[in-house]
Amino acid sequence: MRPWGFLARDLPDPAAGRLNAEFFFGPREPKRPFEIEIGSGKGTFLVQEAAARREVDFLGIEYAGEFFRYAADRMRRHNLSNVRMLYANASEFVTHWLDDATTSVVHLYFSDPWPKARHHKRRVLQLEALSQFHRVLTVGGELRLVTDHPQLWEWYESLVMRVSDLFERLPFEPPSSAAQGEVVGTNFERKYRQEGRPFHSMTLVKKT
Ligand SMILES: C[S@@+](CC[C@H](N)C(=O)[O-])C[C@H]1O[C@@H](n2cnc3c(N)ncnc32)[C@H](O)[C@@H]1O
C-alpha cells in the first residue's frame, strides 16, 4: 500500500512534535498547498480533485479499515503522487498531531450524522473541532462543509454562529472536479442525488 497508505499506529509520539505535510510527502516546497479530507470513504472526491489540481497535496483521513484500504489502493492505481491516505480517527489526528497553520483547506463532506442525541458527541464537527481547524488552517484557509442531513445541518448552523469571531461564512463554490450540477461530487452526493435529497453547504474562511 505504501507510499499511499499511512497508519495511525505508525505516527510518531505527539510529544516529539507536531506534523506537517512533509511527514507524508517528504521534502517539498513549503508554500505548496496542503488540504485534508475527513472521512474520505472510497476516495471519490480525492481521486477526482487530486488529478484536477496537481499543484496541491491532499491527505485523506478515514477510520473505516475497508474504505481506507480501498481508497489508498485507488490512489495507487491512479498513480496520484499528490495524495496520501491515513487510517486514523481524523479528530484525534488533527487535535494531537497536526501542526498549526499547515493546512489550506479542510474538506468534510457527508459526515456521519449520528442522529441519536446520545451519539451527538461522535459527530466530527464540535465546538472544540472548530477551534482545532482554526488552529491548523493557514491564513485565509477554508473549512468546506456539505451534508444532506437536516439535523446535522442545524447542528452545523448552531455551532458556526458561536464561532463568528474565528470564521467568516461564505457560500460553497463547487470544486473544479465536480461535474455539471454537482455540489462537490462525492460518492454519497451521487447516491443521494438519485434519491432526490436536497443538499446544504457552506465555506468557513479563517479569520486572523
Ligand atoms: C457517510 S460517509 C461519506 C464518505 C464521503 N465523504 C462521501 O461523501 O462519499 C462518512 C465517512 O467518514 C468516515 N468517518 C467518520 N468519522 C470519521 C473520523 N472521525 N475520522 C475518520 N473517518 C471518519 C466514515 O468511516 C465514512 O467512511
Side-chain angles (χ1 to χ4, degrees), residues 27-46:
R28 62 198 279 286
E29 162 58 42
K31 289 207 162 31
R32 189 175 159 88
F34 175 59
E35 303 188 8
I36 65 172
E37 186 191 17
I38 294 180
S40 308
K42 293 182 173 177
T44 299
F45 168 72
L46 288 175

Side-chain angles (χ1 to χ4, degrees), residues 37-45 60-65 67-68 86-93 107-114 122-124 146 148 184-192:
E37 186 191 17
I38 294 180
S40 308
K42 293 182 173 177
T44 299
F45 168 72
I61 311 165
E62 175 54 60
Y63 72 5
F67 291 137
F68 160 76
L86 173 64
Y87 180 37
N89 182 322
S91 308
E92 291 176 6
F93 172 72
H107 302 270
L108 181 60
Y109 303 134
F110 298 89
S111 193
D112 294 322
W114 295 107
R122 298 185 190 175
R123 289 173 169 171
V124 170
V146 182
D148 63 298
V184 58
T186 71
N187 234 29
F188 270 69
E189 176 179 348
R190 289 175 185 161
K191 188 167 106 178
Y192 291 153

Side-chain angles (χ1 to χ4, degrees), residues 8 21 30 44-45 61 85-86 92 110 138 147 155 161 174 200 202:
T44 299
F45 168 72
I61 311 165
M85 288 297 306
L86 173 64
E92 291 176 6
F110 298 89
T138 51
T147 182
W155 174 269
M161 276 184 346
H200 310 278
M202 66 170 103

Side-chain angles (χ1 to χ4, degrees), residues 105-163:
V105 182
V106 176
H107 302 270
L108 181 60
Y109 303 134
F110 298 89
S111 193
D112 294 322
W114 295 107
K116 292 181 182 160
R118 69 174 186 278
H119 292 154
H120 286 179
K121 56 182 179 294
R122 298 185 190 175
R123 289 173 169 171
V124 170
L125 206 70
Q126 306 283 344
L127 212 47
E128 171 57 20
L130 280 162
S131 120
Q132 291 294 332
F133 294 149
H134 185 269
R135 179 183 65 76
V136 301
L137 284 170
T138 51
V139 174
E142 297 179 355
L143 168 61
R144 292 166 61 82
L145 301 169
V146 182
T147 182
D148 63 298
H149 198 275
Q151 284 81 36
L152 186 63
W153 181 245
E154 277 175 28
W155 174 269
Y156 285 1
E157 298 248 38
S158 67
L159 288 175
V160 165
M161 276 184 346
R162 295 167 66 186
V163 292

Side-chain angles (χ1 to χ4, degrees), residues 195-206:
E195 299 173 12
R197 296 195 197 186
F199 302 123
H200 310 278
S201 60
M202 66 170 103
T203 297
L204 299 178
V205 181
K206 174 173 171 157

Side-chain angles (χ1 to χ4, degrees), residues 91-110:
S91 308
E92 291 176 6
F93 172 72
V94 170
T95 302
H96 300 298
W97 276 275
L98 195 54
D99 205 356
D100 302 358
T102 47
T103 309
S104 32
V105 182
V106 176
H107 302 270
L108 181 60
Y109 303 134
F110 298 89

